[in-house]
């Protein structure tokens, strides 16, 4: 089975990195990455390095502009974002970028895109905040309030579980499944207040944070979380779900280091082939009643209904 008939239409973030801390990302790497995405029928969203900063802490856009000019000359159809989990820069990179600063930086990215003719209508996504805890939500609110609404869709991320969790039972807890609904509700509330016309994307989601758990987040045990993600997100009107990751160094990936498909890859393939974008509201009689503690099924059942996909 080849990639091109697989996840076409799912937009995957293949790269959302702050790796280029030196401001240096070799052109040949971009060529390879773009060619891979293009051959596989995927759309590439490139995460520009948000931590390349001037002494006054404004974003230094010089290498981003070079990259844009290079990829425009190559006619690479790419969408853009700036940085990854900006609310965690303090803990991850000992730097901090507040939400009004970040909003100005995004406005600058938009200006750069407009200045390079090929990208004058390119899409820009952000702010790509991490799991919506209190800080992340404050930062999202501030970002949108300060003009971050230059983005074409508002992005945020969700991970279900700590990668130090080692037991398969812990991946099966139905309480975990519900955490996503709670997070979506919090994010939508902010977007509806600050930028109600914006689409909301789940810009990164995986079973476990910090790279996932060997022999768990890459197995069928994690499939419930993935299916649940796709079902809940669709039911809440989240347009696009980006899996973190397709391929990487950790265990949340869909293919292993040799590109062999893993269980969630097959789940994704089936989902894309069978499940269409139209969501039906379903209620299961009997589940609404308050469950009696200690009784069998309790809240173990999840049902989602969609019209059939016409995707080939
Ligand atoms: C921005 O970064 C470039 C290197 O990518 C550097 O040459 C330039 O001096 C920086 N600009 C400022 C204002 O720091
Ligand atoms: C670029 O890709 C997007 C997303 O797949 C698509 O909607 C758009 O039509 C493409 N633009 C061009 C010029 O091919
Ligand atoms: C945000 O950070 C910038 C410098 O990075 C600073 O000038 C500004 O006062 C800060 N704004 C708030 C609201 O803290
Ligand atoms: C993962 O599972 C395989 C097969 O059951 C086993 O050989 C291996 O030791 C496991 N690795 C870890 C880190 O648990």
């Amino acid at each position: 089975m080849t990639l091109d008939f697989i996840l076409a239409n799912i937009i995957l973030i293949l790269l959302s990195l702050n790796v280029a801390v030196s401001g240096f990302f070799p052109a040949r790497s971009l060529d390879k990455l773009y060619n891979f995405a293009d051959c596989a029928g995927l759309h590439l969203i490139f995460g520009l390095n948000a931590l390349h900063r001037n002494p006054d802490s404004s974003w230094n856009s010089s290498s981003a502009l070079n990259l844009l000019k290079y990829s425009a000359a190559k006619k690479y159809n790419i969408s853009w974002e700036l940085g990854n989990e900006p609310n965690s820069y303090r803990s991850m990179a000992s730097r901090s970028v507040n939400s009004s600063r970040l909003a100005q930086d995004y406005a600058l990215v938009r200006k750069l895109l407009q200045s390079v003719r090929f990208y004058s209508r390119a899409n820009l996504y952000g702010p790509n905040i991490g799991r919506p805890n209190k800080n992340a939500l404050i930062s999202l609110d501030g970002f949108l309030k300060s003009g971050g609404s230059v983005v074409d869709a508002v992005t945020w991320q969700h991970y279900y579980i700590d990668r130090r969790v080692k037991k398969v039972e812990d991946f099966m807890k139905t309480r975990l499944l519900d955490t996503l609904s709670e997070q979506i509700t919090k994010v939508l509330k902010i977007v509806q207040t600050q930028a109600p016309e914006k689409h909301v994307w789940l810009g990164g989601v995986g079973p476990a944070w910090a790279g996932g758990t060997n022999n768990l987040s890459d197995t069928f045990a994690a499939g419930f979380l993935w299916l649940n993600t796709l079902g809940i997100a669709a039911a809440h009107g989240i347009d696009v779900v980006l899996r973190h990751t397709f391929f990487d160094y950790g265990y949340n990936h869909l293919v292993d280091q040799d590109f062999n498909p893993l269980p969630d890859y097959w789940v994704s393939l089936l989902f894309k082939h069978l499940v269409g974008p139209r969501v039906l509201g379903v209620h299961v009689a009997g589940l609404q009643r308050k469950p009696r503690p200690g009784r069998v099924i309790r809240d173990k059942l999840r049902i989602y209904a969609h019209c059939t996909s016409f995707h080939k």
Side-chain angles (χ1 to χ4, degrees), residues 1-8 39-41 265-266 269 272-273 311-312:
M1 234 163 250
T2 56
L3 271 173
D4 51 328
F5 97 86
I6 292 178
L7 294 167
C39 290
Y265 176 91
W266 300 114
L269 177 63
K272 281 311 277 183
H273 275 266
H311 176 72
K312 283 275 174 299

Side-chain angles (χ1 to χ4, degrees), residues 11 43 77-79 118 123:
I11 302 177
H43 182 70
N77 182 359
I78 298 178
S79 297
F118 185 74
N123 287 330

Side-chain angles (χ1 to χ4, degrees), residues 10 24 28 35 42 66 69 130 151 165 202 212 214-215 232 252 258 271 278 283 288 293-294:
I10 287 194
F24 181 71
R28 221 167 66 83
N35 288 336
L42 300 171
N66 289 338
K69 285 181 180 158
V151 294
V165 163
L202 195 41
N214 190 8
N215 278 355
I232 288 191
N252 284 329
D258 301 316
F271 192 90
R278 187 152 186 195
H283 295 282
Q288 314 305 338

Side-chain angles (χ1 to χ4, degrees), residues 71-280:
S71 55
K74 295 265 186 170
K75 297 204 173 356
Y76 289 163
N77 182 359
I78 298 178
S79 297
W80 305 89
E81 63 182 9
L82 177 63
N84 177 44
E85 303 197 31
N87 51 296
S88 306
Y89 289 161
R90 193 191 298 277
S91 56
M92 314 265 286
S94 304
R95 315 271 285 274
S96 89
V97 178
N98 64 32
S99 52
S100 45
R101 182 70 261 169
L102 190 67
Q104 288 171 28
D105 302 335
Y106 263 85
L108 179 54
V109 177
R110 176 59 82 198
K111 240 171 77 188
L112 292 187
L113 290 173
Q114 282 161 350
S115 74
V116 175
R117 181 142 42 118
F118 185 74
Y119 291 123
S120 60
R121 299 165 66 146
N123 287 330
L124 174 62
Y125 304 113
N128 205 16
I129 55 157
R131 299 177 76 227
N133 58 19
K134 194 160 169 239
N135 275 344
L137 289 168
I138 290 172
S139 133
L140 176 64
D141 188 68
F143 175 81
L144 293 175
K145 202 181 276 166
S146 327
S149 50
V150 295
V151 294
D152 293 289
V154 175
T155 55
W156 60 288
Q157 308 184 19
H158 182 70
Y159 302 89
Y160 284 92
I161 200 170
D162 193 310
R163 78 179 173 125
R164 284 170 298 192
V165 163
K166 294 278 186 257
K167 291 204 303 276
V168 67
E169 295 77 25
D170 292 321
F171 268 72
M172 306 289 193
K173 285 190 178 137
T174 45
R175 170 77 193 95
L176 263 190
L177 299 176
D178 300 329
T179 57
L180 180 60
S181 292
E182 293 157 14
Q183 307 288 32
I184 291 177
T185 307
K186 289 182 200 163
V187 169
L188 290 183
K189 195 170 155 216
I190 289 172
V191 177
Q192 275 149 16
T193 312
Q194 301 296 357
E197 73 288 1
K198 294 294 169 192
H199 290 265
V200 177
W201 290 11
L202 195 41
V205 63
W209 60 80
T213 314
N214 190 8
N215 278 355
L216 277 177
S217 44
D218 48 359
T219 68
F220 279 112
F224 296 105
L225 294 175
W226 184 219
L227 275 171
N228 176 68
T229 301
L230 297 170
I232 288 191
H236 281 86
I238 304 274
D239 292 302
V240 173
V241 172
L242 309 183
R243 169 70 179 227
H244 186 111
T245 59
F246 180 71
F247 171 89
D248 77 356
Y249 59 90
Y251 306 99
N252 284 329
H253 45 197
L254 298 183
V255 299
D256 70 12
Q257 303 293 333
D258 301 316
F259 280 84
N260 295 311
L262 295 164
D264 275 0
Y265 176 91
W266 300 114
V267 169
S268 316
L269 177 63
L270 277 175
F271 192 90
K272 281 311 277 183
H273 275 266
L274 302 176
V275 179
R278 187 152 186 195
V279 183
L280 306 174

Side-chain angles (χ1 to χ4, degrees), residues 20-50:
V21 172
S22 61
F24 181 71
F25 185 77
R28 221 167 66 83
S29 303
L30 181 67
D31 295 340
K32 279 189 184 166
L33 183 67
Y34 187 81
N35 288 336
F36 171 78
D38 198 37
C39 290
L42 300 171
H43 182 70
L44 181 64
I45 301 170
F46 191 95
L48 297 167
N49 177 10

